Amino acid sequence: MSARSIVVTGAGSGIGRATARLFLHHGWRVALIGRRADALRESAEAHAQAMILPCDVTDEGAVERAFDSVMAQWGRIDVLFNNAGRNLGADTPDHIAPDDFRAVLDVNVTGVFLCARAAFARMRAQDPQGGRIINNGSISSHAPRPGTIAYTAAKHAVTGITRALSLDGRAFGIACGQIDIGNAMSGMADRMAKGVMQADGSIRAEAMIDVSVVADSVLHMASLPDGANVQFLTVMPATMPFIGRG
């Protein structure tokens, strides 16, 4: 039986890189999507089962071409890890430029939709039909940090996308779940270890987890048998100020 296949977006660094490498280690075929080909090649470590697909997830045509390439080479897509995202520096809403707000939503919402749309179409058409989509949410999809209106709005939207995909995919054997991550040691969250504003206005360092913990969690979600799904999974440091935040 041929190896299972997964598409990982945002695979050039951080959580995406750790996840792509873990799946390759476990014998999966992994298509790595990201904007920088050199970073994707570094993530893949010249692995024979890796496919490098430079792609801007906000570009509909580029996304369709990338997913077509996966199908042309491997014949099916078993899993999509919809991971690509971006953030802004913390600030109050009146100091955030509308264009910056739109840019965060473009990657974190429109990009998630475009990749889910591309995966859904191919999972629906392939034989045997079906697959799994795992969206990267955030602790911010439950509770915001101060000064993060764009990122918080985007991650709440991702939760809506996850729920809609779960419902719409039922008839086609397409399951969708979401992993909500708190303070993983990736480029986007490293500042938490140095000190970040709390709801009471103080600045405090927060506990962190290694990205390998997140990758292990994604592998667990992706490896469930057909008909089973982790709808929402939250992985975070045990002492992170999430429960009781505010």
Side-chain angles (χ1 to χ4, degrees), residues 24 52 70 85-86 119 142 156 173 176 179 202 205 210 222 224 229 242:
L24 287 167
I52 305 302
V70 178
R86 63 163 293 177
H142 304 276
H156 275 70
C176 183
I179 181 167
S202 64
D210 191 79
L224 290 172
N229 189 39
F242 165 46

Side-chain angles (χ1 to χ4, degrees), residues 52-53 55 63 68 83 111 144 156 176 180 182 194 209 216 218 240:
I52 305 302
L53 295 170
C55 173
V63 168
D68 281 343
N83 168 69
H156 275 70
C176 183
D180 293 326
K194 300 173 183 177
I209 55 173
D216 286 339
V218 176
M240 178 185 172

Side-chain angles (χ1 to χ4, degrees), residues 4-243:
R4 299 182 71 200
S5 62
I6 182 171
V7 177
V8 179
T9 71
S13 62
I15 291 166
R17 171 173 287 179
T19 302
R21 286 178 174 174
L22 181 66
F23 275 76
L24 287 167
H25 175 75
H26 280 267
W28 287 61
R29 297 178 296 191
V30 179
L32 295 87
I33 285 180
R35 290 175 300 161
R36 297 179 295 123
D38 56 342
L40 297 176
R41 284 191 290 268
E42 187 176 345
S43 295
E45 299 179 311
H47 199 289
Q49 300 230 88
M51 186 187 306
I52 305 302
L53 295 170
C55 173
D56 180 347
V57 298
T58 69
D59 182 334
E60 178 185 348
V63 168
E64 290 294 318
R65 289 189 294 274
F67 279 77
D68 281 343
S69 295
V70 178
M71 295 299 290
Q73 186 155 333
W74 293 338
R76 69 178 290 109
I77 297 170
D78 294 299
V79 179
L80 164 65
F81 180 35
N82 225 345
N83 168 69
R86 63 163 293 177
N87 202 351
L88 295 175
D91 214 334
T92 53
D94 54 317
H95 287 171
I96 294 173
D99 283 348
D100 290 338
F101 184 90
R102 293 187 189 99
V104 170
L105 266 63
D106 202 22
V107 175
N108 293 2
V109 181
T110 303
V112 166
F113 163 72
L114 290 175
C115 291
R117 176 181 183 272
F120 196 106
R122 288 152 183 83
M123 291 173 179
R124 179 177 181 172
Q126 63 195 10
D127 185 18
Q129 188 180 63
R132 190 180 303 275
I133 297 170
I134 302 171
N135 291 329
N136 186 343
S138 171
I139 294 293
S140 293
S141 68
H142 304 276
R145 289 185 177 278
T148 61
I149 191 168
Y151 189 75
T152 298
K155 291 304 184 179
H156 275 70
V158 170
T159 298
I161 289 172
T162 298
R163 294 184 188 278
L165 287 170
S166 296
L167 183 59
D168 293 341
R170 287 179 185 174
F172 312 108
I174 301 170
C176 183
Q178 181 169 311
I179 181 167
D180 293 326
I181 303 161
N183 289 9
M185 274 288 189
S186 64
M188 191 177 292
D190 289 351
R191 63 190 179 91
M192 309 302 177
K194 300 173 183 177
V196 64
M197 183 178 291
Q198 305 297 311
D200 62 3
S202 64
I203 304 293
R204 293 199 300 274
E206 296 185 4
M208 306 291 292
I209 55 173
D210 191 79
V211 289
S212 63
V213 178
V214 178
D216 286 339
S217 301
V218 176
L219 180 63
H220 168 68
M221 296 173 73
S223 301
L224 290 172
D226 292 344
N229 189 39
V230 172
Q231 186 66 65
F232 291 97
L233 183 154
T234 301
V235 58
M236 58 180 237
T239 59
M240 178 185 172
F242 165 46
I243 303 299

